[in-house]
Amino acid sequence: MQYSIKRQKISAKIIAQIGILAAISYLLRFFEIPLPIFPPFLRIDLSDVVAVFGGISMGPVVGFIIVVIKNLLQAITGSSTGGVGEFANILIAGPYVLMISIFCKKANSYKNVLIGAVIGTILMAIIGSVVNYYIMFPLYSKVMIPMEAIISMGTALNPKVTDLFSFMIWLIIPFNIVKGAIMTAVILPLYKKMEKLLTLN
């Protein structure tokens, strides 16, 4: 009986932590950083950093759940793509969070954080280009900006951008690599400071 009560308390604590971290992640989503080397609709936010720490402290599944909840909240309260953009973000950011969480599940260390972040960034770049090529850009071209205008934005920044495929190669992939690098640069110095959170298991 005592074991059952203890287990319920642990579960309730984890659920509460997930809710808090998801709320913080959602709020951080509104603080976007534009980079002049990319089109204005490509902006970086640090909301997934919170999910990474949640995944490290409570497991990969929890980290991914935080990503999902954050995007569901965004889809409900302020989506400009009818939820498609948020679904794409789950597919793109999810692997980054999962990779770091999975490697740190074996052993919490700077080395495992870095290895997970590098692999996660590579996956984010690859999946991001596929999702944008087949889902996001076709959607934007139909409901917001004509494809020709999107390509023109890219060409103005990089003459090598001549069509949608080259847009992915020269802008989307580099953007996700830069995003992964920035998030990793934020996570590494905070990693040791989050030691108490990381030992909640």
Side-chain angles (χ1 to χ4, degrees), residues 15-48:
I15 291 172
Q17 289 171 346
I18 291 173
I20 292 170
L21 292 175
I24 295 172
S25 181
Y26 168 70
L27 292 175
L28 285 176
R29 179 69 180 82
F30 292 97
F31 296 93
E32 296 179 319
I33 306 168
L35 297 177
I37 58 175
F38 297 109
F41 57 84
L42 292 178
R43 298 184 178 187
I44 290 174
D45 68 80
L46 300 176
S47 60
D48 295 314

Side-chain angles (χ1 to χ4, degrees), residues 48-173:
D48 295 314
V49 169
V50 179
V52 167
F53 285 121
I56 293 174
S57 62
M58 292 176 280
V61 173
V62 169
F64 189 77
I65 288 173
I66 293 171
V67 173
V68 172
I69 294 175
K70 174 202 73 173
N71 281 286
L72 286 176
L73 290 173
Q74 179 69 21
I76 293 170
T77 60
S79 175
S80 59
T81 62
V84 177
E86 287 68 31
F87 175 71
N89 185 260
I90 292 172
L91 297 178
I92 297 168
Y96 179 85
V97 174
L98 282 173
M99 286 300 102
I100 298 178
S101 304
I102 288 170
F103 274 90
C104 286
K105 189 176 182 181
K106 300 176 182 178
N108 284 332
S109 67
Y110 284 111
K111 179 181 177 181
N112 283 347
V113 171
L114 188 57
I115 292 172
V118 170
I119 296 174
T121 298
I122 293 171
L123 289 175
M124 192 163 61
I126 294 171
I127 296 172
S129 61
V130 173
V131 169
N132 277 289
Y133 187 86
Y134 288 105
I135 300 175
M136 290 306 301
F137 276 63
L139 174 68
Y140 278 128
S141 67
K142 289 181 180 179
V143 300
M144 297 184 70
I145 306 172
M147 186 64 74
E148 294 77 11
I150 295 175
I151 302 303
S152 295
M153 286 184 195
T155 305
L157 292 167
N158 190 331
K160 294 180 180 179
V161 175
T162 57
D163 54 20
L164 186 56
F165 182 78
S166 57
F167 199 111
M168 300 298 112
I169 298 298
W170 296 106
L171 291 175
I172 296 299
I173 289 178

